[in-house]
Amino acid sequence: MNSLRERVTQIFEDTFREQPKFILRAPGRVNLLGEHVDYNDGFVLPVAIDRAVWIACSPASAPHSSLVAADLDERVSFSSATIPAKTDLEGKPLPHWAKYPVGCAWALNEAGHETPSINAVFTSDVPRGSGLSSSAAVEMGFISALQATAGFEADPMSRAKLGQRAENVYVGVNCGIMDQFASACGKRDHALFLDCRTLEWQAVPLPSDVAIVVADTAVPRSLSDSAYNERRSACEEGARLFGASSLRDVSVAEFQRNKQKLPPLVARRAQHVVEEIQRTEHAVFLLKQGNVKAFGRLMNECHESLRDLYEVSCRELDVMVNIARSFDGCYGARLTGAGFGGCTVNLVAQSEAEQFAKELASRYTEATNKIPSVYICRAEEGAGMV
Ligand code: ADP
Ligand code: MG
């Protein structure tokens, strides 16, 4: 049996003196391709991974909810009646972690779903703040938990939108839909190809002989709000200068014909986005053909583009990527997520994955004096009851 499942069940029984009625699981995610294009109406290709939040929960007999964050050894009680205030039962401000589950209750209430009070314990093996979307996993876990206890119907994409709204408005973090989408809609052994404009998506099979290896540089992501906002405005300006509503509507050919009309910085940012959108579409075509080598080359191109055009890499990410590419069996390596630290994602022959992970870690430490975490991941199912 899964040890996180056992852990939440045990802590739930010790805390609430009964057996939990529901057990839920919600995965983190890693993005294979389509970086910094979600806010440009582009295509993304994430995978829900086999690292997840586990929740044990039951309807509460009390008029308030009690939540235990087992990993932080913290407990919070709150009443639905006081939402949207961000305070606990005693009127004290909620700790940061509690805003994610309480925000989910808020988003459900706002959408017209009544949420019952619940007792819940949760734990997770998605590293926090590394770019594998531990926050979306918490949200998709709690939306599923509240859905199970309240007994209403909502499809995975609707749950993803509710989670995004909770994070955008209640927690106050400006994220796109990709993370919640991947956690909600994940499919075992498949990548998820999402059109961020229409929210149409399809699951694309991953070859069984490749592993997804995620390497955390141990450099905290420090994409300051200003750097992120600078890139967003550059994209908006680029679209405006092309007379388009977003860069999604600018083809690579059109960009090439007119790029000299853009200020150089805007041209670099826009070039990444325009090419990355095309690259991701092409990569899905290659993946469907099982052409892992060509797919991996596009991952490499994506890294170069993020490094040189979008300028969101850093020394450690480049070092990690360069070491990875020196191994046989590594098809592609690139930074994943917002950048300036965090993780790389690598596509590696399954038979080489263990060795790759071990040597990548030790050679990275030799080069940087930092201790990375390396995870061999597989694509897993999205959030739901187990
Ligand atoms: P990430 O890239 O991992 O999503 P975020 O900063 O968006 O990074 O979200 C991390 C936050 O999510 C944590 O600071 C915490 O508030 C919450 N969180 C994630 N996992 C847990 C957990 N296991 N227990 C409590 N809170 C968690
Ligand atoms: Mg997050």
Side-chain angles (χ1 to χ4, degrees):
M1 194 153 120
N2 183 289
S3 65
L4 294 190
R5 178 183 188 146
E6 275 170 26
R7 176 171 150 81
V8 281
T9 307
Q10 189 63 53
I11 298 174
F12 187 95
E13 287 172 5
D14 293 347
T15 310
F16 299 110
R17 303 275 155 217
E18 59 170 15
Q19 288 193 338
K21 195 156 174 221
F22 304 107
I23 305 284
L24 306 109
R25 175 194 157 277
R29 66 97 189 91
V30 65
N31 190 22
L32 295 182
L33 218 57
E35 211 65 83
H36 281 286
V37 297
D38 55 343
Y39 50 87
N40 291 295
D41 283 347
F43 301 110
V44 293
L45 190 65
V47 162
I49 57 174
D50 54 343
R51 292 185 156 259
V53 166
W54 287 78
I55 303 177
C57 82
S58 287
S61 47
H64 61 264
S65 295
S66 289
L67 310 177
V68 176
D71 304 329
L72 308 176
D73 200 15
E74 285 192 33
R75 179 172 175 168
V76 153
S77 295
F78 73 96
S79 162
S80 291
T82 59
I83 299 176
K86 294 172 195 169
T87 48
D88 67 8
L89 271 192
E90 295 162 8
K92 286 193 288 204
L94 290 175
H96 183 70
W97 64 266
K99 290 181 199 162
Y100 295 91
V102 179
C104 290
W106 167 80
L108 282 163
N109 295 158
E110 198 203 34
H113 299 291
E114 246 177 74
T115 52
S117 51
I118 58 167
N119 292 327
V121 175
F122 72 106
T123 185
S124 172
D125 59 2
V126 184
R128 292 189 290 280
S130 293
L132 298 183
S133 222
S134 66
S135 60
V138 172
E139 290 151 13
M140 291 306 96
F142 273 95
I143 299 262
S144 304
L146 289 162
Q147 182 178 10
T149 32
F152 63 83
E153 294 293 322
D155 62 281
M157 186 61 91
S158 306
R159 295 203 296 263
K161 288 186 196 164
L162 287 164
Q164 185 198 12
R165 187 149 172 80
E167 184 151 342
N168 287 168
V169 183
Y170 193 86
V171 184
V173 175
N174 185 13
C175 59
I177 188 72
M178 172 171 68
D179 302 354
Q180 291 80 5
F181 156 75
S183 182
C185 299
K187 192 162 178 224
R188 178 170 301 147
D189 299 329
H190 287 69
L192 312 165
F193 180 42
L194 172 70
D195 181 338
C196 295
R197 168 171 277 175
T198 61
L199 298 190
E200 281 167 24
W201 66 278
Q202 51 177 289
V204 183
L206 288 165
S208 58
D209 52 355
V210 296
I212 297 163
V213 182
V214 175
D216 189 339
T217 56
V219 176
R221 282 177 307 156
S222 58
L223 182 56
S224 61
D225 287 351
S226 63
Y228 180 76
N229 291 335
E230 180 266 316
R231 281 156 185 79
R232 281 192 83 135
S233 353
C235 292
E236 282 161 23
E237 193 186 341
R240 193 173 52 75
L241 293 171
F242 274 102
S245 68
S246 77
L247 288 175
R248 164 71 179 272
D249 295 321
V250 179
S251 69
V252 172
E254 191 183 345
F255 174 82
Q256 287 301 344
R257 276 197 303 276
N258 294 296
K259 64 180 176 193
Q260 75 290 348
K261 294 180 194 155
L262 305 181
L265 184 73
V266 174
R268 285 209 300 283
R269 306 294 189 245
Q271 185 179 344
H272 166 74
V273 171
V274 167
E275 291 179 349
E276 179 76 352
I277 289 174
Q278 188 187 68
R279 185 157 40 234
T280 306
E281 228 183 342
H282 184 50
V284 168
F285 169 79
L286 295 168
L287 194 58
K288 285 179 178 169
Q289 295 185 329
N291 192 344
V292 185
K293 281 197 177 141
F295 182 91
R297 280 196 292 272
L298 295 184
M299 290 175 73
N300 292 345
E301 278 181 21
C302 169
H303 183 81
E304 268 73 275
S305 178
L306 289 168
R307 185 190 63 202
D308 302 336
L309 298 173
Y310 221 63
E311 297 175 286
V312 292
S313 191
C314 64
R315 190 182 84 87
E316 290 84 351
L317 283 167
D318 293 340
V319 167
M320 189 75 93
V321 159
N322 288 336
I323 297 172
R325 290 180 189 169
S326 72
F327 292 110
D328 288 343
C330 176
Y331 298 113
R334 69 174 196 87
L335 77 84
T336 184
F340 296 112
C343 296
T344 67
V345 60
N346 308 269
L347 209 60
V348 181
Q350 185 71 56
S351 55
E352 304 289 321
E354 293 279 346
Q355 188 71 7
F356 172 84
K358 229 171 75 195
E359 290 188 21
L360 179 62
S362 69
R363 284 186 46 193
Y364 176 76
T365 301
E366 274 167 34
T368 62
N369 264 326
K370 292 186 160 61
I371 312 275
S373 306
V374 182
Y375 313 105
I376 300 174
C377 299
R378 59 177 294 173
E380 258 303 344
E381 292 292 309
M385 222 186 303
V386 287

